[in-house]
């Protein structure tokens, strides 16, 4: 399953890209979910790191595509960015935001297919663990690695991500195995923490980064019975990944 976003102020351009994506995925036997955004400011305001690929127009009246890309990179350093532009001379600036490629308007399918092949090959098969979430009634797939911590309040599971939160009905018990196999550790009876986001421990308070690479954090309590084991696992994780 590919989660793809298209950001462009021209409805015709969005429709064309969406048709190309559908054609590509059908040919390759890939499931895909395409989200369309005509307003880049609105997209960025509610952005969450749930996409595999983002097609982004450079020349938009409300916000320049480069500025949108910089905003995306503040919370998602992994998503593939493909610029769509009628100003090829500006495409080279994509290196500033680690863009993967660009396509020039009017977009033609043969070139589009080659570029999308290249991007998907570069980023590998999208078989990374995910959880199903819902946003405005639409099903999405959130990568487990992008979730900072998982919290259960009553019968609601809350996935805390850099760009915001997702909430759904459920229990921690049903999903604990998935998270524990992917670098999460339980720090109290209602919370599983992604070790990738742990900045430090002060007493019985964990400092959890608000985004990848950010020094800003929020505090989460470690229960007394779990602290010793949590610290042991965290130290082992740091030894293996630093």
């Amino acid at each position: 399953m590919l989660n793809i976003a298209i950001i462009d102020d021209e409805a015709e351009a969005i429709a064309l890209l969406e048709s190309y994506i559908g054609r590509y995925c059908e040919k390759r036997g890939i499931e895909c979910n395409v989200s369309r955004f005509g307003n880049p400011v609105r997209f960025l305001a509610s952005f969450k790191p749930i996409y595999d690929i983002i097609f982004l127009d450079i020349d938009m009246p409300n916000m320049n595509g480069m500025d949108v890309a910089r905003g995306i990179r503040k919370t998602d350093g992994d998503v593939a960015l493909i610029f769509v532009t009628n100003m090829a001379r500006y495409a080279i600036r994509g290196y500033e935001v680690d863009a993967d490629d660009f396509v020039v308007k009017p977009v033609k399918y043969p070139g589009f297919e080659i570029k999308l092949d290249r991007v998907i090959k570069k980023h590998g098969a999208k078989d990374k663990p995910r959880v199903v979430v819902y946003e405005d009634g639409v099903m999405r797939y959130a990568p487990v690695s992008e979730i900072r911590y998982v919290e259960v309040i009553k019968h609601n599971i809350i996935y805390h991500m850099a760009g915001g939160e997702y909430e759904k009905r459920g229990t921690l018990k049903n999903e604990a195995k998935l998270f524990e196999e992917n670098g999460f550790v339980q720090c109290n009876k209602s919370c599983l923490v992604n070790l990738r986001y742990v900045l430090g421990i002060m007493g019985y308070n964990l400092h959890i980064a608000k985004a990848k690479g950010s020094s800003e954090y929020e505090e989460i309590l470690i229960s007394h019975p779990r602290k010793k084991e949590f610290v042991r696992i965290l130290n082992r994780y740091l030894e293996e990944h630093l």
Side-chain angles (χ1 to χ4, degrees):
M1 168 65 76
L2 284 174
N3 267 348
I4 299 175
I6 304 172
I7 310 167
D8 199 311
D9 62 308
E10 298 177 357
E12 297 84 357
I14 290 179
L16 181 64
L17 278 180
E18 186 172 13
S19 71
Y20 285 174
I21 292 167
R23 179 177 169 184
Y24 177 91
C25 289
E26 183 178 1
K27 185 176 179 180
R28 298 292 189 280
I30 300 172
E31 288 186 68
C32 69
N33 178 65
V34 180
S35 302
R36 301 160 295 281
F37 301 91
N39 188 313
V41 177
R42 227 173 261 168
F43 167 80
L44 202 55
S46 61
F47 174 71
K48 297 181 181 72
I50 60 173
Y51 300 104
D52 300 299
I53 302 169
I54 297 176
F55 288 91
L56 179 59
D57 185 25
I58 289 182
D59 186 26
M60 293 182 285
N62 295 319
M63 180 181 282
N64 182 284
M66 286 296 297
D67 292 332
V68 179
R70 292 188 187 97
I72 290 170
R73 285 298 184 224
K74 287 180 180 179
T75 55
D76 194 336
D78 299 325
V79 64
L81 293 180
I82 301 178
F83 282 121
V84 184
T85 178
N86 52 16
M87 302 179 295
R89 63 185 182 278
Y90 294 126
I92 193 171
R93 292 185 57 198
Y95 75 88
E96 298 175 19
V97 289
D98 194 26
D100 290 85
D101 213 327
F102 70 95
V103 291
V104 178
K105 293 181 177 180
V107 181
K108 304 297 183 183
Y109 184 77
F112 173 88
E113 182 179 38
I114 291 170
K115 289 176 182 288
L116 196 50
D117 265 339
R118 187 184 301 152
V119 168
I120 291 176
K121 183 178 180 180
K122 174 183 174 182
H123 285 262
K126 294 299 179 179
D127 56 357
K128 296 178 182 178
R130 304 171 184 222
V131 292
V132 175
V133 296
Y134 293 88
E135 183 175 41
D136 299 326
V138 179
M139 186 173 71
R140 310 286 191 201
Y141 291 85
V144 168
S145 62
E146 300 292 342
I147 298 171
R148 299 185 300 121
Y149 65 97
V150 184
E151 182 180 23
V152 173
I153 298 178
K154 294 183 179 179
H155 296 292
N156 291 325
I157 299 177
I158 304 171
Y159 303 113
H160 295 266
M161 304 181 73
E165 299 174 355
Y166 284 112
E167 185 173 334
K168 71 178 184 182
R169 300 287 288 179
T171 64
L172 199 59
K173 181 180 179 180
N174 291 339
E175 300 194 14
K177 184 178 179 182
L178 170 66
F179 287 100
E180 289 169 354
E181 289 176 348
N182 289 282
F184 285 69
V185 179
Q186 193 162 356
C187 63
N188 58 54
K189 67 178 182 179
S190 62
C191 192
L192 281 163
V193 172
N194 188 338
L195 295 178
R196 301 171 184 83
Y197 288 87
V198 176
L199 294 179
I201 301 175
M202 184 68 70
Y204 285 92
N205 288 310
L206 273 177
H207 292 180
I208 306 297
K210 291 187 175 182
K212 283 183 178 178
S214 173
S215 59
E216 293 186 46
Y217 63 86
E218 62 179 298
E219 293 186 338
I220 297 176
L221 184 69
I222 311 176
S223 64
H224 187 275
R226 294 183 182 275
K227 182 177 180 182
K228 184 176 179 180
E229 179 65 5
F230 186 96
V231 171
R232 184 188 70 80
I233 296 173
L234 176 62
N235 286 336
R236 186 177 65 191
Y237 175 85
L238 294 174
E239 288 173 0
E240 293 175 353
H241 293 84
L242 290 182

